[in-house]
Amino acid sequence: MIIKQIAVFLENRPGKLAEVLGVLSKQDINLRAMSVADTADFGILRLVVNDPDKAVQVLRDASFAVKTTSVLGIKVSDKPGGLLDELKKLNAAGINIEYVYAFAASSVHDARVVLKVDDLEKAEQVLYSPDRVGDPADGPNFYW
């Protein structure tokens, strides 16, 4: 399922991550997935939240530099090779994975993963072909 990811650009200083999370918490915005990539001077905080549009607005109101990106959220079997099975499908279709990170667990049988790929629509078609049982990543409840 294609979902909205929020990227927040932060100075690499003590307290900046807590500041962002505090802004979101005060507005009852729940984190579902988070990743931080850093350099010596700055970091990129990538988030998936329960209300992405509200999160973008409150973060911008708090003077944070924010960007949204469409990414693919998938559910995989929580077993050795579960993610590998899905990645093989993307590889066979010639789709490059730019980055990946995990979601909060929703059950002991499944894991959720965020993928940034170079061809989002094609990746969604490859992973959610008509013969696959069930709705992509549980449909509209994917954000919880």
Side-chain angles (χ1 to χ4, degrees), residues 61-119:
D61 289 348
S63 300
F64 287 102
V66 180
K67 178 183 172 188
T68 59
T69 305
S70 293
V71 294
L72 193 62
I74 65 170
K75 186 165 65 170
V76 300
S77 295
D78 192 6
K79 64 176 187 174
L83 178 58
L84 177 61
D85 292 341
E86 302 303 314
L87 298 185
K88 284 179 178 179
K89 295 174 192 174
L90 295 175
N91 184 50
I95 297 169
N96 183 48
I97 299 166
E98 297 175 19
Y99 57 82
V100 60
Y101 57 97
F103 251 74
S106 61
S107 80
V108 296
H109 304 292
D110 299 308
R112 293 174 190 248
V113 176
V114 176
L115 300 168
K116 174 69 169 86
V117 296
D118 61 355
D119 190 335

Side-chain angles (χ1 to χ4, degrees), residues 23-24 27 29 52-64 66:
V23 167
L24 296 174
Q27 295 295 320
I29 297 169
D53 295 328
K54 181 179 177 183
V56 167
Q57 187 60 53
V58 300
L59 289 169
R60 285 187 176 148
D61 289 348
S63 300
F64 287 102
V66 180

